[in-house]
């Protein structure tokens, strides 16, 4: 809802409000963002404006009549040169070589239109729209601020710069969002990491120094995730949290700065380092759309808001809430060593176990014996697959499962026909030694003809056989960046070219489920999610690491956007051995897949996986689209009616002194009654070692033939939890689980809880 009250604007969602006004001097003063407020008169909102009778000490007075010092105001935008020394939103160089900007209010209107951006992806769906035009005081340049108000407690902003001058305008910085707070009582939360080590949550205390979270590697990157939060020392379920994200997949920057008067500013947008854009007469520069959300129900509250927003307003309509198949991926099962026989045997085994999609990962195309060659040549390798992809895809479909394929359309190896034909179609500096990543070049998507050509190659490939799914990988970041376009524009043109390619291909092949990937989560952002509904979250599938990685993604992204695989042990990245159950329990919260040679597994492991698949299929809607909550040592997913839920407990380390474990639910209806029970599990007696003799009537020698034979036929029965209670009890007090094992024997009243203990709990509304 939008209210225009004289010179003030009040934007309200279901539970939040955002207010601003035009200052007598023409700038836009930010008045408020937080819990919903009501106001019907301009005077009401003026209560929220800063009261300044004089500038402080050596602050700059904006003009002689007013008493404003821009440095000490909360502003909706800000530039260089008029006394605001904080991180600016815009930085321009005018033809007269000046760079002071002073954008003043000119015009505002509002409607219900959500206009797409022309060069970048943007949110979609029903919302209110406030359009504000500002004009630069001394040059014919407009700054357009669009605010989109989604009733589900999200407000988005876009910023556009329009050059009405005859001469070129140099845009050195065009950020998307600036939000000023009156105080500095916040923690700034960022998610940083690296390959197979994504999404470490960092909590930064604010001080007068700037905190910068940024990427300059050409991708949004695992080094600095675009999604950040400002929290007023909130907890998971209480306290105020502001969340911010950017619909952009390239270099980005989020800066938090506390001013000399203890005001906090956050700025988000394209990273201005390595950025400089020449805007010709009458051209428009579009900054990426920025997202803000606010919750006073803690981090879980904010997550629920962002989850809904991403599913409803970012993911393409045809894929939002569409259940995704359980897949088997060939990568860790075969790496580059794929051939028809191996593929078909794995696919057959997978289909018999209930898996629904076979994904042929890297290694299938011409000359791809290892990662030094072949990228760019998107034709099947006839030595590995003599009868071609069409034949293979048909055979796999005949097994009753779908077929998917891996591509890396943004890359080429020097050792490829593509590179030999088009050595000038890659990002590099001619005549200099190039530093490569994974032996490959990034192809130059800042050039239209390169994008058009790759669209044709991918169109030919996707039409050549029965493809239901595509994994779109991107395995290096950018170095030695140079192209024929203006320095400072390459990174941004690359991203625009990438979006054009993704847009064309996803529209041309609407039935194909696309999954983004960049060596795992090196490009996990809302730009990619605007085209591809899901992303491979990390190459790290070790359940211990993975729990943290998924937990962190869940702060800003719904679990339906991240794919998780159950892989083999020892884990290929960490060499850690964790139980199959834990690998499944963690992977199930989101989109489930397997990435292991199923043919090599034991009978018990195969039986367990079959059971996992049955459980996942039964609860798929909840695992993929339920409202997700972070609980103590685990997660819960709850359906919209709050009548069904699944909880998961994960305890990586067995601590003797912490044997009393209580599972406290979240998200249930306090007034409803529920049946709470666990997934019944069985364990291989070998997991007990010689302790099995405390429960066995006969002595079993470790490693003996009888040990092996008994372990095939006799399994330990896990504990049983079976309770009825009210939602209020399950949430406020929780279920005291059976006691953990401790050298005293083992029976159904004891929880078998070695390291990496995990359990699923099912919670269903009940009349009992
Ligand atoms: C990196 C991806 O993250 C892996 O899953 C796999 O697809 C490899 N690339 C293949 O080269």
């Amino acid at each position: 809802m939008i209210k225009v009250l004289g010179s003030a604007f009040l934007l309200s969602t279901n539970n939040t409000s955002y207010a601003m006004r035009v200052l007598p001097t023409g700038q836009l003063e930010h008045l408020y963002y937080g819990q919903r407020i009501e106001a019907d008169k301009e005077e009401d909102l003026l209560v929220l404006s800063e009261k300044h009778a004089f500038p402080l000490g050596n602050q700059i007075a904006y003009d002689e009549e007013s008493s404003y010092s821009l440095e000490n105001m909360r502003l909706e935008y800000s530039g260089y040169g008029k006394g605001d020394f904080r991180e600016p939103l815009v930085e321009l160089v005018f033809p007269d070589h000046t760079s002071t900007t002073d954008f003043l209010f000119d015009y505002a209107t509002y409607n219900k239109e959500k206009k797409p951006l022309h060069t970048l992806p943007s949110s979609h769906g029903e919302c209110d729209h406030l359009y504000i035009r500002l004009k630069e005081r001394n040059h014919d340049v407009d700054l357009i601020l669009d605010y989109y108000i989604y009733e589900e407690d999200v407000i988005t902003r876009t910023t556009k710069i329009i050059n009405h001058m005859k001469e070129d305008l140099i845009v050195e910085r065009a950020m998307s969002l600036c939000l000023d707070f009156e105080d500095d009582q916040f923690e700034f939360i960022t998610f940083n990491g690296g390959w197979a080590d994504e999404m470490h949550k960092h909590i930064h205390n604010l001080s007068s120094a700037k905190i910068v979270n940024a990427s300059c590697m050409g991708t949004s990157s695992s080094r600095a995730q675009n999604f950040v939060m400002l929290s007023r020392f909130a907890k998971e379920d209480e306290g105020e949290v502001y969340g911010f994200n950017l619909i952009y997949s390239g270099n980005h920057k989020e800066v938090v700065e506390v001013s000399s008067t203890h005001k906090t500013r956050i700025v988000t947008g394209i990273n201005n380092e390595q950025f400089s854009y020449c805007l010709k007469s009458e051209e428009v520069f579009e900054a990426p759309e920025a997202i803000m959300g606010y919750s006073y129900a803690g981090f879980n509250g904010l997550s629920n808001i962002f989850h809904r927003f991403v599913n409803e307003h970012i993911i393409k309509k045809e894929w939002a809430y569409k259940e995704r198949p359980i897949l088997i991926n060939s990568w860790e099962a075969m790496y580059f060593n794929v051939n028809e026989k191996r593929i078909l045997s794995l696919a057959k085994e997978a289909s018999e176990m209930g898996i629904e999609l076979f994904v042929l990962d890297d290694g299938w195309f011409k000359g791809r014996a290892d990662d030094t060659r072949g990228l760019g040549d998107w034709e099947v390798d006839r030595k590995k697959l003599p009868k071609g992809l069409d034949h293979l895809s048909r055979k796999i479909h005949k097994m009753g499962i779908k077929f998917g394929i891996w591509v890396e359309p943004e890359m080429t190896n020097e050792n490829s026909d593509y590179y030999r034909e088009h050595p000038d179609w890659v990002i590099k500096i001619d005549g200099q030694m190039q530093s490569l990543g994974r032996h490959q070049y990034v192809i130059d998507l800042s050039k239209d003809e390169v994008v058009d050509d790759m669209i044709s190659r991918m169109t030919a490939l996707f039409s050549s056989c029965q493809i239901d799914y595509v994994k779109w990988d991107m395995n290096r970041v950018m170095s030695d960046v140079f192209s024929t376009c203006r320095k400072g524009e390459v990174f941004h043109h690359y991203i625009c070219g990438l979006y054009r390619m993704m847009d064309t291909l996803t529209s041309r092949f609407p039935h194909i489920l696309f999954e983004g990937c960049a060596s795992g989560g090196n490009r996990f952002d809302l730009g990619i999610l605007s085209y591809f509904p899901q992303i491979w979250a990390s190459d790290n599938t070790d359940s211990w690491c993975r729990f943290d990685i998924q937990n962190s993604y869940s702060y800003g992204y719904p679990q339906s956007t991240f794919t998780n695989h159950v892989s083999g042990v020892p884990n290929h990245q960490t060499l850690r051995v964790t139980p199959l159950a834990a690998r499944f329990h963690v992977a199930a919260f989101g989109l489930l897949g397997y990435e292991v040679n199923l043919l090599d597994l034991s009978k018990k492991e195969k039986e367990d996986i079959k059971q996992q698949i049955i459980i996942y299929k039964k609860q798929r809607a909840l695992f993929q689209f339920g409202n997700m909550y972070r609980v103590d040592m685990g997660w819960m997913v709850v359906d919209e009616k709050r009548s069904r839920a699944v909880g998961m407990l994960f305890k990586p380390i067995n601590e003797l002194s912490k044997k009393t474990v209580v599972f406290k639910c979240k998200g249930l209806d306090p007034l409803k009654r529920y049946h709470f029970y666990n997934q019944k599990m069985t364990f291989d007696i070998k997991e007990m070692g010689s302790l099995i003799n405390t429960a066995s009537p006969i002595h079993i020698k470790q490693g003996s033939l009888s040990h092996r034979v008994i372990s095939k036929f006799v399994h330990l029965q896990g504990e049983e939890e079976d309770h009825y209670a009210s939602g209020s009890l399950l949430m406020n007090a929780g279920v005291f689980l059976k006691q953990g094992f401790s050298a005293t024997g083992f029976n159904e009243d004891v929880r078998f809880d070695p390291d990496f203990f995990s359990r699923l709990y099912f919670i269903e509304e009940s009349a009992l």
Side-chain angles (χ1 to χ4, degrees), residues 331 361-362 406 438 471 473 475 517 519-520 536 539:
W331 182 238
D361 208 282
D362 200 350
W406 177 96
R438 212 191 186 202
K471 177 174 173 186
D473 207 345
N475 280 301
C517 173
S519 305
W536 175 229
D539 275 354

Side-chain angles (χ1 to χ4, degrees), residues 117-130:
L117 294 173
H118 295 289
T119 52
L120 298 170
S122 63
S123 62
H124 55 77
E126 258 179 46
C127 59
D128 290 299
H129 169 213
L130 174 66

Side-chain angles (χ1 to χ4, degrees), residues 488-541:
E489 294 185 5
V490 190
F491 283 112
H492 184 64
H493 283 313
Y494 179 93
I495 292 298
C496 295
L498 170 69
Y499 288 148
R500 185 162 72 80
M501 179 147 80
M502 292 163 76
D503 190 28
T504 311
L505 291 169
T506 50
S507 311
R508 220 169 254 182
F509 298 95
H511 68 283
I512 292 185
L513 170 59
F514 283 86
E515 176 166 323
C517 173
S519 305
N522 197 44
R523 206 168 53 184
F524 197 113
D525 59 65
L526 297 179
I528 298 297
L529 289 173
S530 300
Y531 302 101
F532 302 166
Q534 56 190 59
I535 300 177
W536 175 229
S538 174
D539 275 354
N540 191 337
T541 47

Side-chain angles (χ1 to χ4, degrees), residues 461-643:
L461 172 63
F462 299 160
S463 321
S464 71
C465 58
Q466 299 187 349
I467 292 188
D468 307 289
Y469 160 106
V470 165
K471 177 174 173 186
W472 181 304
D473 207 345
M474 198 279 189
N475 280 301
R476 70 158 288 186
V477 292
M478 297 192 196
S479 63
D480 302 87
V481 174
F482 182 77
S483 182
T484 41
C485 64
R486 208 173 153 268
K487 177 189 169 298
E489 294 185 5
V490 190
F491 283 112
H492 184 64
H493 283 313
Y494 179 93
I495 292 298
C496 295
L498 170 69
Y499 288 148
R500 185 162 72 80
M501 179 147 80
M502 292 163 76
D503 190 28
T504 311
L505 291 169
T506 50
S507 311
R508 220 169 254 182
F509 298 95
H511 68 283
I512 292 185
L513 170 59
F514 283 86
E515 176 166 323
C517 173
S519 305
N522 197 44
R523 206 168 53 184
F524 197 113
D525 59 65
L526 297 179
I528 298 297
L529 289 173
S530 300
Y531 302 101
F532 302 166
Q534 56 190 59
I535 300 177
W536 175 229
S538 174
D539 275 354
N540 191 337
T541 47
D542 173 314
S543 57
W544 192 20
C545 304
R546 188 79 184 195
F547 178 82
D548 282 339
I549 293 171
Q550 288 173 220
N551 199 57
S552 287
Y553 279 122
S554 80
Y555 280 91
Y557 298 93
Q559 72 275 18
S560 54
T561 58
F562 38 90
T563 46
N564 316 310
H565 295 175
V566 173
S567 59
V569 285
N571 181 270
H572 289 209
Q573 278 68 43
T574 64
L575 290 180
R576 188 174 290 114
V577 176
T578 61
L580 179 57
R583 283 174 269 150
F584 164 67
H585 291 156
V586 172
F589 283 71
L591 311 176
L592 177 68
Y594 288 81
E595 189 167 334
V596 58
N597 192 345
L598 299 169
L599 299 148
D600 284 352
L601 299 181
S602 70
K603 196 169 161 239
K604 162 109 175 67
E605 285 171 321
K606 285 186 193 173
E607 279 310 315
D608 285 353
I609 290 181
K610 278 189 195 160
Q611 285 311 311
Q612 293 173 356
I613 289 170
I614 290 170
I615 291 173
Y616 188 81
K617 283 182 178 169
K618 192 167 167 215
Q619 310 286 352
R620 183 182 342 227
L622 270 178
F623 281 131
Q624 300 188 346
F625 300 108
N627 294 324
M628 184 168 173
Y629 298 85
R630 290 171 298 278
V631 302
D632 190 19
M633 295 185 294
W635 300 316
M636 266 193 78
V637 281
V638 185
D639 74 348
E640 208 49 45
K641 291 188 192 145
R642 295 191 287 175
S643 58

Side-chain angles (χ1 to χ4, degrees), residues 162-233:
I162 309 177
N163 178 12
H164 291 303
M165 302 180 297
K166 290 210 168 58
E167 305 88 343
D168 294 349
L169 171 70
I170 304 301
V171 181
E172 297 286 349
R173 178 197 295 250
M175 304 301 278
S176 301
L177 171 149
C178 163
L179 184 60
D180 285 348
F181 295 92
E182 65 276 19
D183 66 333
D184 59 0
Q185 293 304 296
F186 291 102
E187 289 170 325
F188 181 41
I189 298 159
T190 63
F191 298 89
N192 312 85
W195 172 75
D197 197 26
E198 293 88 349
M199 296 297 282
H200 287 282
K201 182 176 156 205
H202 293 290
I203 303 176
H204 311 269
N205 290 324
L206 300 195
S207 67
S208 53
K210 283 185 191 181
I211 306 172
V212 178
N213 179 69
S215 159
C216 58
M217 14 188 12
T219 62
S220 48
S221 95
S222 51
R223 310 323 193 251
Q225 161 65 228
N226 309 20
F227 168 69
V228 297
M229 295 183 282
L230 276 173
S231 129
R232 288 196 181 276
F233 309 97

